[in-house]
């Protein structure tokens, strides 16, 4: 019987580095990334004690995992910066556009920070 590999050793190692780089995200958000060995990495989100996790995504590509975790981190930052005195849901793009330029740059520069951590 042929052994099926869903993720290469190289991609598995790269994904591990991505998960390590974003480890600070997991401390503050309801996200867990599990190493599933030959199957890749599984990102679980939105934990509810009664029902478990509300979202599951499988990654076998480190770039896609990086981009997904970046989006989670970025959106969490924008969510924390949203106006608190509004009843309507504000889109992340609108929140970002309403930030001062220096804050926009600070948030976007954080991507390089995570990229550097992956490449250490």
């Amino acid at each position: 019987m042929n052994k099926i590999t869903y993720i290469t050793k190289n991609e598995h190692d790269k994904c591990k580095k991505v998960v390590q780089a974003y480890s600070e995200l997991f401390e503050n958000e309801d996200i867990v990334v599990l190493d599933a060995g030959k199957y890749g990495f599984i990102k679980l989100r939105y934990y509810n004690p009664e029902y478990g996790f509300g979202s599951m995504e499988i990654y076998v590509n480190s770039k896609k995992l990086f981009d997904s975790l970046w989006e989670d981190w970025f959106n969490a930052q924008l969510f924390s910066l949203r106006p608190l005195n509004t009843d309507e849901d504000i889109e992340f793009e609108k929140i970002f556009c309403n930030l001062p330029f220096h804050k926009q740059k600070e948030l976007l520069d954080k991507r390089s920070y995570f990229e550097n951590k992956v490449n250490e």
Side-chain angles (χ1 to χ4, degrees), residues 39-64:
Y39 300 103
F41 286 77
I42 302 169
K43 182 174 80 167
L44 304 167
R45 294 188 298 173
Y46 313 122
Y47 181 73
N48 177 311
E50 188 174 338
Y51 302 107
F53 287 94
S55 172
M56 179 189 79
E57 299 166 7
I58 299 171
Y59 293 89
V60 295
N61 179 286
S62 58
K63 172 77 170 115
K64 289 181 180 179

Side-chain angles (χ1 to χ4, degrees), residues 91-104:
E91 297 174 15
F92 290 130
E93 186 176 333
K94 287 182 182 178
I95 295 170
F96 182 76
C97 289
N98 288 325
L99 293 175
F101 178 75
H102 74 279
K103 188 63 177 176
Q104 291 178 2

Side-chain angles (χ1 to χ4, degrees), residues 59-120:
Y59 293 89
V60 295
N61 179 286
S62 58
K63 172 77 170 115
K64 289 181 180 179
L65 178 59
F66 182 93
D67 290 342
S68 178
L69 292 173
W70 163 252
E71 185 177 330
D72 291 334
W73 181 88
F74 189 71
N75 289 342
Q77 300 309 302
L78 293 177
F79 185 77
S80 72
L81 296 169
R82 77 192 185 291
L84 297 176
N85 59 351
T86 182
D87 291 332
E88 64 185 66
D89 289 335
I90 296 180
E91 297 174 15
F92 290 130
E93 186 176 333
K94 287 182 182 178
I95 295 170
F96 182 76
C97 289
N98 288 325
L99 293 175
F101 178 75
H102 74 279
K103 188 63 177 176
Q104 291 178 2
K105 183 175 178 347
E106 179 185 318
L107 289 172
L108 294 176
D109 285 348
K110 192 73 169 185
R111 185 175 176 101
S112 295
Y113 165 80
F114 287 119
E115 288 170 340
N116 289 337
K117 286 184 77 169
V118 167
N119 295 320
E120 288 179 346

Side-chain angles (χ1 to χ4, degrees), residues 19-33 73 76 113 117:
V19 171
Q20 289 171 347
Y22 279 99
S23 62
E24 68 190 54
L25 170 66
F26 311 137
E27 295 171 6
N28 300 323
E29 297 301 319
D30 205 8
I31 297 173
V32 177
V33 180
W73 181 88
Y113 165 80
K117 286 184 77 169

